[in-house]
Amino acid sequence: MRLHYYPGCTLKNKTTNFDLSTREAMKRLDIELVEPDGWTCCGAEYPLTEEKIVGLAAPIRVLRQVKDEGGDILVTSCSFCYAVLKRAHKAHRDDPIKRKRVNAFLHDDIKIDRWTKEKTTGFEDYDGEVRILHILEYLRDVVGREKIRSALKRDLRGLKVAPYYGCRLLRPRDEIGLDEPDNPHIFEEFLETIGCTPVDYPFKQECCGSYLSVSLPSAATEASYRVLRSAKLEGAEAIAVSCPLCFYNMDHRQELIKEKFLDFPGLPVLFFTQLLAWGLGVERSVLGLDQHAVSPASLFRESPGPEVIL
Amino acid sequence: MRVKLKAGAEESKFIERIEELSGENVYACYQCGRCSAGCPVAFEMDLLPNQIIRLVQMGLKDEVLNSKTLSICASCFTCQSRCPKGIDMARVMEAVRHVLDPKSRDIFGPSDVSPELAIELPQQVLVAVFRKFSK
């Protein structure tokens, strides 16, 4: 089965392990992920003021392309992309004034025919036909627990993983609607499905400091430390994320966190798709474990065979 | 903190503009403080989110616009999800950033990032931070 998939900018550059593990895992579930032709960056931040309507143009252009290729579902694994696409989709579908203006912006895009190379303008209006699903949501609602369970090749039982939602997956509830903002369980259900033991801890939906890691690093260091410490105190062996920025703040900046907070011993940070891919039998070399600053290699070991006594 | 109240045309224009940009009713706030209590980066702020909205209610434009808080909010929407009156504080913050003098310096712009750091950073963080903090 073919499914439209939006990787987003960071998955194509810095965290290719997230992209690759998503693809490989979905392949094992008989789903081939295809990218919409000529996709662009979604903008990373949804424009929050009423006047910045032009910020909706980029995500809507991606959605229109999906519709143009005959798709009705677009999945993404990055939380930032998910939030922007979903909120833009909702604003565009529900607000006739915004829809009219965005469609007017996009009407004169140049379309190049794939075969004849003929250039035309005058795009058809997009009226919000495409559904945007996060991979976690797609696995829960479309693929289903039973199918994932029956496709599992490796036993992850006993691995204690702390799910980290962060800011973009849950809020605002009216627009995202993936789960309850203050008591979510979609990530825990996913971890249980693949055999891990989810760790409950109070900071799972707290912000990691987000883009402040560039403009005010001290704030991001402290915010990330709180999340990591909380997970560690509850006995987690690793923390699973669904956002490349959370990954950067908690993994690549962990050296700095350790320097500043001496009580923190360190905790590997994983993408949830790496665990899924591993459980589904994907080779270890495909998981891109060398892209982590805090090595999670010890978590991805083949279960030892019978001991040979020489 | 001690502030001098005024109720002139400039103050009411500021309040109207914030409401228009954010789409939120700032007078709905009754200062329960849940936004500030839940804010994950409040420890860095000079004015807490509830103080910002109180100053907006009073039309104290300069106090709001000179606050460090504008460059600290990470729009994580924790305040939004906990507000008993349904105010989206992140939208109010964004509206305040929007009315900053367009000729003033960026809160955080491309010249504030060193080339070495820019290579190391994930793309999305650069796009997001410039979208928020530069014009």
Side-chain angles (χ1 to χ4, degrees):
Chain A
M1 195 188 106
R2 283 161 68 86
L3 180 66
H4 279 96
Y5 161 66
Y6 182 79
C9 57
T10 312
L11 271 71
K12 282 288 168 188
N13 293 286
K14 289 286 174 204
T15 53
T16 48
N17 50 354
F18 193 11
D19 182 42
L20 207 60
S21 58
T22 307
R23 284 169 192 280
E24 287 298 318
M26 295 306 268
K27 214 180 274 175
R28 303 282 166 134
L29 296 167
D30 303 320
I31 298 159
E32 191 199 343
L33 297 176
V34 286
E35 295 169 22
D37 203 24
W39 62 267
T40 56
C41 171
C42 64
E45 272 298 313
Y46 177 76
L48 287 176
T49 55
E50 294 295 319
E51 288 180 4
K52 283 191 186 159
I53 292 179
V54 72
L56 301 176
I60 297 299
R61 188 178 278 133
V62 173
L63 297 176
R64 183 188 61 186
Q65 181 62 29
V66 174
K67 179 194 161 195
D68 212 46
E69 291 173 16
D72 57 355
I73 291 180
L74 178 67
V75 295
T76 178
S77 45
C78 164
S79 307
F80 260 65
C81 302
Y82 173 67
V84 174
L85 289 167
K86 194 145 186 185
R87 296 187 75 177
H89 162 79
K90 191 170 185 304
H92 186 84
R93 191 192 58 196
D94 296 347
D95 185 339
I97 298 169
K98 282 186 181 154
R99 183 165 68 233
K100 205 172 158 192
R101 286 188 62 186
V102 174
N103 280 334
F105 282 137
L106 298 181
H107 185 262
D108 288 332
D109 277 2
I110 293 168
K111 190 179 193 175
I112 303 170
D113 191 283
R114 192 182 282 196
W115 310 112
T116 63
K117 302 287 171 214
E118 191 192 342
K119 289 178 183 168
T120 46
T121 58
F123 259 100
E124 216 183 292
D125 283 354
Y126 174 76
D127 296 320
E129 291 91 343
V130 177
R131 273 170 75 204
I132 297 105
L133 297 177
H134 193 270
I135 296 271
L136 283 173
E137 204 178 5
Y138 189 82
L139 292 172
R140 178 188 67 180
D141 298 344
V142 184
V143 178
R145 204 184 169 100
E146 303 312 314
K147 187 167 177 197
I148 302 173
R149 275 270 164 94
S150 62
L152 287 177
K153 297 278 184 298
R154 284 196 183 93
D155 190 4
L156 295 176
R157 260 179 302 175
L159 184 62
K160 287 196 213 152
V161 182
Y164 178 61
Y165 291 88
C167 54
R168 292 293 186 264
L169 265 186
L170 301 169
R171 300 183 289 262
R173 186 191 179 194
D174 297 348
E175 289 171 65
I176 306 285
L178 179 71
D179 210 335
E180 282 293 322
D182 276 326
N183 186 24
H185 16 244
I186 183 169
F187 219 138
E188 280 88 344
E189 281 166 18
F190 163 78
L191 291 172
E192 265 166 13
T193 305
I194 60 169
C196 300
T197 311
V199 175
D200 192 25
Y201 65 113
F203 281 77
K204 60 186 174 187
Q205 68 272 56
E206 201 84 351
C207 176
C208 68
S210 194
Y211 46 77
L212 297 181
S213 67
V214 205
S215 57
L216 189 70
S218 60
T221 307
E222 177 141 0
S224 302
Y225 160 70
R226 288 176 181 173
V227 176
L228 288 167
R229 180 192 54 181
S230 169
K232 186 84 190 176
L233 283 177
E234 298 296 332
E237 292 170 70
I239 192 162
V241 299
S242 77
C243 169
L245 184 47
C246 302
F247 176 75
Y248 176 80
N249 281 344
M250 299 204 283
D251 179 80
H252 281 50
R253 295 172 55 84
Q254 212 176 101
E255 261 324 292
L256 290 172
I257 295 173
K258 278 193 208 162
E259 272 171 32
K260 195 168 166 190
F261 302 98
L262 299 171
D263 63 325
F264 177 65
L267 186 66
V269 185
L270 308 169
F271 289 114
F272 72 98
T273 51
Q274 287 176 311
L275 286 170
L276 177 65
W278 181 247
L280 292 172
V282 172
E283 302 271 309
R284 192 175 159 187
S285 57
V286 181
L287 300 178
L289 300 181
D290 53 333
Q291 292 179 29
H292 295 249
V294 182
S295 175
S298 61
L299 304 171
F300 295 95
R301 275 217 194 105
E302 299 286 357
S303 37
E307 265 183 58
V308 183
I309 301 161
L310 292 172
Chain B
M1 93 194 243
R2 189 176 283 246
V3 288
K4 200 171 172 189
L5 290 179
K6 284 166 277 177
E10 203 188 322
E11 283 76 27
S12 45
K13 212 177 115 194
F14 173 67
I15 303 168
E16 254 173 51
R17 184 78 180 122
I18 296 292
E19 292 203 322
E20 182 187 37
L21 280 167
S22 65
E24 303 294 322
N25 173 14
V26 293
Y27 289 110
C29 174
Y30 54 33
Q31 293 292 307
C32 71
R34 287 191 75 181
C35 47
S36 305
C39 180
V41 285
F43 60 89
E44 293 276 358
M45 292 177 172
D46 53 354
L47 291 174
L48 293 169
N50 69 307
Q51 293 176 314
I52 291 281
I53 198 158
R54 186 75 188 113
L55 292 170
V56 172
Q57 283 175 344
M58 296 191 286
L60 294 165
K61 189 174 171 179
D62 294 336
E63 279 80 357
V64 177
L65 294 186
N66 292 326
S67 165
K68 228 175 87 181
T69 301
L70 301 185
S71 63
I72 293 167
C73 169
S75 307
C76 73
F77 301 104
T78 306
C79 44
Q80 186 271 350
S81 74
R82 294 181 185 174
C83 179
K85 297 288 281 180
I87 303 171
D88 191 340
M89 190 58 210
R91 277 184 182 269
V92 176
M93 286 283 188
E94 183 87 347
V96 174
R97 276 193 288 264
H98 194 105
V99 295
L100 283 175
D101 181 4
K103 281 180 240 126
S104 68
R105 206 178 154 272
D106 285 343
I107 295 175
F108 190 86
S111 55
D112 298 318
V113 184
S114 70
E116 300 81 50
L117 186 63
I119 291 169
E120 190 208 305
L121 290 168
Q123 283 70 18
Q124 97 193 80
V125 66
L126 291 171
V127 179
V129 78
F130 296 147
R131 233 180 176 189
K132 278 284 168 200
F133 296 148
S134 65
K135 288 172 206 101

